């Protein structure tokens, strides 16, 4: 039946929204000259870098960015690490970009990260794990606005 055929087609080819997500290449990776290799993985996965800058965070800026983790035992060490060397903050755009970025990154702990992911290949430890990625649409919007103005998102 035509109706069945139509619903089958829709289920097989869901329309994914174009999203933007915040990515950070962390100090352990910028220090080891891995920015290009990491961004090749994002671009090969179909993610487009629509904004990008290399900056060094202050402790206060790192602390505010990771404020959601303020009661976790690793918070102080995390903030010190993030402020220790330059980072590259960037906005990735693409269909389903938030989840896709997380897939390309791999699990937080590199020991659990799938082969071929950034963290499996490059991360040094659960703390010094090379990349950050937003985890949901709300946090992506907040985190992008933390680092970029609308004028800096150039597509
Ligand atoms: O970065 P991701 O979203 O995968 O992990 P998270 O649970 O939001 O934690 C944020 C960051 O805190 C991690 O990427 C690690 O750098 C750090 N962390 C840590 O040092 N030790 C842990 N047990 C968990 C996270
Ligand atoms: Mg997180």
């Amino acid at each position: 039946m035509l109706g069945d055929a139509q619903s089958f087609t829709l289920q097989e080819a869901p329309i994914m929204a174009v999203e933007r997500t915040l990515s950070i290449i962390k100090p352990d990776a910028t220090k080891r000259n891995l920015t290009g290799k990491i961004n090749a993985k994002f671009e090969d996965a179909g993610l487009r870098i629509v904004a990008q800058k290399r900056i060094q965070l202050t402790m206060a800026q790192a602390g505010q960015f990771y404020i959601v983790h303020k009661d976790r035992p690793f918070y102080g060490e995390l903030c010190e690490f993030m402020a220790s060397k330059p980072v590259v903050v960037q906005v990735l755009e693409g269909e389903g970009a938030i989840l896709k970025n997380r897939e390309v990154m791999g699990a937080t702990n590199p020991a659990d990260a799938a082969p071929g992911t950034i963290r499996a290949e490059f991360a040094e430890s659960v703390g010094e794990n090379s990349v950050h990625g937003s985890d949901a649409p709300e946090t992506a919007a907040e985190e992008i606005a933390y680092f970029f103005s609308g004028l800096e998102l150039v597509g």
Side-chain angles (χ1 to χ4, degrees), residues 69 102 132-133 135:
H69 293 309
R102 299 285 312 190
H132 165 83
D135 60 9

Side-chain angles (χ1 to χ4, degrees), residues 34-128:
L34 293 170
T35 299
K37 285 195 175 112
I38 287 172
N39 278 335
K41 286 194 179 280
F42 291 134
E43 292 184 338
D44 287 350
L47 292 164
R48 173 175 293 272
I49 301 164
V50 298
Q52 186 180 57
K53 55 192 171 193
R54 184 178 179 97
I55 56 177
Q56 182 153 3
L57 297 175
T58 63
M59 274 293 285
Q61 289 166 341
Q64 184 58 39
F65 180 76
Y66 275 121
I67 196 75
V68 66
H69 293 309
K70 69 179 189 325
D71 296 326
R72 308 285 290 278
F74 57 81
Y75 180 64
E77 208 178 340
L78 173 62
C79 296
E80 275 172 26
F81 164 60
M82 290 300 287
S84 67
K85 283 275 187 287
V87 295
V88 175
V89 293
Q90 52 194 16
V91 178
L92 305 179
E93 182 182 87
E95 289 196 359
I98 297 167
L99 189 60
K100 190 177 282 183
N101 178 38
R102 299 285 312 190
E103 284 170 1
V104 176
M105 287 165 58
T108 307
N109 186 341
D112 302 328
T117 61
I118 290 167
R119 283 165 164 171
E121 286 192 18
F122 302 124
E124 300 197 296
S125 65
V126 64
E128 305 204 1

Side-chain angles (χ1 to χ4, degrees), residues 2 7 15 28 31 34 38 58-59 83-84 106 125 127 140 145-146 149:
L2 185 58
S7 60
I15 297 162
D28 67 284
K31 187 169 71 184
L34 293 170
I38 287 172
T58 63
M59 274 293 285
S84 67
S125 65
Y146 189 69
S149 78

